[in-house]
């Protein structure tokens, strides 16, 4: 059994070693071999595996998700436990529970700071770190929740059946541009069920970056771990 929550960038353990052996068996290059450490070599190898599985764009980022790791496990003969990573915040939704009404929340930098402060309070992140990181993300992803940029219809993710808001299901939505599946997986208990709600969207983003990029609880490494949240580095999808 491999736990998804154990297979994360920057960690060293036997689950990582198992995944590395599976990647090598699949022809993915890890020059240092199965060391048990998840570094840049393993990330590049895992991205190659994701591409081979048909993932595209932001979905092929070299960071294991439940679907790709389970598929790899089927090839290599090991089962995968996704529970620890997927439901860590306790508010996870089924995709069918996501709604698509736009409450027309405020736009602009000042509004984003206000919403970000609330999101930090709900998720236990220090606003000193969380607020500037989230505001930077919203500036780059949606021009501070401008109505024109609340849904991305041109990204590689913009496919799938039509959702109730009239856009393809996998379009990124909201101030921080969450894909509905990501929003559902990392939904914060007690927040709105639509990614167009800025606080709910920001909370899901916090839970996502904590899981995917190992951002710590305070958020002190948020900008270091997530380039899109760092105003001192060029924009980069996350």
């Amino acid at each position: 059994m491999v736990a998804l929550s154990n297979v994360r960038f920057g960690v060293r353990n036997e689950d990582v070693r198992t995944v590395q052996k599976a990647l090598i068996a699949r022809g993915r290059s890890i020059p240092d071999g199965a060391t048990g450490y998840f570094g840049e070599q393993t990330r590049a190898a895992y991205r190659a595996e994701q591409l081979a599985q048909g993932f595209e764009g932001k979905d092929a980022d070299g960071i294991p998700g439940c679907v790709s790791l389970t598929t790899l496990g089927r090839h290599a003969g090991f089962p995968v436990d996704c529970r620890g990573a997927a439901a860590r915040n306790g508010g996870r939704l089924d995709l069918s529970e996501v709604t698509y009404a736009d409450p027309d929340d405020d736009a602009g930098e000042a509004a984003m700071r206000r919403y970000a402060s609330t999101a930090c309070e709900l998720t236990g992140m220090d606003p000193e770190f969380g607020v500037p990181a989230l505001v930077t993300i919203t500036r780059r992803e949606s021009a501070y929740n401008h109505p024109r940029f609340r849904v991305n219809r041109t990204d590689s993710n913009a496919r799938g059946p039509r959702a109730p808001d009239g856009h393809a299901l996998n379009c990124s939505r909201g101030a921080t541009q969450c894909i509905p599946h990501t929003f559902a997986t990392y939904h914060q208990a007690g927040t709105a069920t639509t990614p167009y709600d800025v606080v709910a969207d920001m909370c899901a983003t916090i839970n996502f970056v904590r899981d995917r990029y190992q951002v710590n609880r305070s958020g002190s490494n948020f900008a270091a771990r997530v380039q899109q949240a760092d105003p001192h580095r060029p924009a980069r999808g996350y």
Side-chain angles (χ1 to χ4, degrees):
M1 175 73 71
V2 168
L4 175 59
S5 58
N6 288 340
V7 189
R8 299 178 286 112
F9 188 85
V11 303
R12 185 188 301 273
N13 56 55
E14 287 304 310
D15 281 357
V16 171
R17 193 187 310 276
T18 297
V19 170
Q20 289 172 325
K21 289 178 179 179
L23 290 169
I24 292 169
R26 293 268 288 164
R28 318 306 172 207
S29 174
I30 304 179
D32 289 346
T35 63
Y37 175 70
F38 197 125
E40 289 295 345
Q41 292 182 9
T42 302
R43 183 168 181 166
Y46 200 89
R47 181 174 186 274
E49 173 64 23
Q50 288 171 322
L51 291 169
Q53 290 184 21
F55 290 86
E56 301 174 351
K58 295 178 183 177
D59 293 333
D61 59 1
I63 302 299
C66 187
V67 174
S68 62
L69 189 58
T70 299
T71 300
L72 179 62
R74 282 200 297 268
H75 287 294
F78 60 80
V80 174
D81 180 1
C82 296
R83 292 173 296 179
R88 187 172 297 162
N89 68 305
R92 181 175 183 172
L93 302 172
D94 289 331
L95 185 58
S96 62
E97 295 177 296
V98 175
T99 58
Y100 296 89
D102 185 348
D104 196 26
D105 283 344
D106 293 339
E109 182 177 359
M112 295 304 100
R113 291 188 178 280
R114 186 174 72 250
Y115 292 131
S117 180
T118 301
C120 287
E121 180 179 356
L122 290 170
T123 57
M125 179 169 280
D126 188 333
E128 177 184 353
F129 308 115
V131 169
L134 290 167
V135 170
T136 299
I137 288 175
T138 63
R139 174 172 61 83
R140 290 172 165 176
E141 294 286 342
S142 66
Y144 301 126
N145 199 42
H146 190 286
R148 181 180 174 186
F149 300 110
R150 288 178 188 168
V151 58
N152 187 335
R153 296 179 292 273
T154 61
D155 191 83
S156 61
N157 297 310
R159 58 186 186 276
R162 197 162 298 279
D165 61 356
H167 305 297
L169 178 64
N170 291 322
C171 286
S172 302
R173 293 166 169 85
T176 64
Q177 292 291 282
C178 269
I179 299 167
H181 181 272
T182 301
F183 177 78
T185 300
Y186 295 99
H187 177 259
Q188 179 72 25
T191 63
T193 57
T194 171
Y196 290 111
D197 181 278
V198 177
V199 171
D201 195 48
M202 287 180 169
C203 285
T205 294
I206 289 172
N207 292 326
F208 168 72
V209 299
R210 280 173 168 165
D211 186 29
R212 181 61 69 92
Y213 296 104
Q214 294 77 61
V215 171
N216 59 33
R217 184 160 182 80
S218 73
S220 63
N221 64 346
F222 197 156
R225 291 283 187 174
V226 183
Q227 185 169 326
Q228 189 72 326
D230 185 351
H232 304 297
R233 290 189 286 168
R236 181 180 180 182
Y238 73 109

